[in-house]
Amino acid sequence: GKFVETGGGLVQPGDSLRLSCVASGFTLQPYAVGWFRQVPGKGREQISCIRDSDDSTIYADSVQGRFTISRDKTVNTAYLQMSGLKPEDTGTYYCARAWGCLGDSWDYWGQGTQVTVSS
């Protein structure tokens, strides 16, 4: 199994995008789903996560108030709604699953989707 991320693109500062993350070969339940961002030359940064138990969410400070993570178990998909995009949001966005939002036991990484924010 793996995730398939889509929805990236080239946008201008202040624009919005919605990324999708479809689980292929497994079901989202009972896993937490995390979104990560990677910029060339830097490590992968966890920017958001949603827990299965109660759909509670966490966000990195850099995206708090601008990004919203959600999930729809009926279509086995998680989403990342991004608004107020900034050039520093540029990167490749990945999703992965784990038993919880904290820790580093993430797996089933997708191929990523590129987001470029530029005027």
Side-chain angles (χ1 to χ4, degrees):
K2 64 176 183 178
F3 283 106
V4 178
E5 303 96 337
T6 59
L10 172 62
V11 297
Q12 294 187 338
D15 283 353
S16 298
L17 275 178
R18 187 176 81 156
L19 306 184
S20 298
C21 170
V22 179
S24 175
F26 68 98
T27 58
L28 289 183
Q29 203 169 7
Y31 302 99
V33 178
W35 279 98
F36 299 77
R37 177 170 66 204
Q38 187 159 28
V39 177
K42 295 187 178 181
R44 199 168 289 182
E45 173 193 15
Q46 182 178 335
I47 58 173
S48 187
C49 180
I50 184 167
R51 297 180 178 91
D52 177 74
S53 56
D54 57 2
D55 280 348
S56 60
T57 58
I58 61 172
Y59 297 94
D61 289 345
S62 58
V63 305
Q64 180 76 48
R66 299 187 298 119
F67 290 11
T68 303
I69 189 172
S70 62
R71 62 196 288 166
D72 185 343
K73 296 175 187 178
T74 65
V75 292
N76 224 22
T77 301
Y79 303 97
L80 187 67
Q81 178 67 48
M82 307 186 294
S83 60
L85 283 162
K86 304 176 181 180
E88 52 264 43
D89 294 319
T90 294
T92 303
Y93 285 70
Y94 300 87
C95 55
R97 69 172 196 181
W99 289 111
C101 284
L102 304 179
D104 57 3
S105 298
W106 296 93
D107 63 9
Y108 284 28
W109 295 92
Q111 82 291 343
T113 186
Q114 177 67 34
V115 173
T116 303
V117 185
S118 175
S119 55

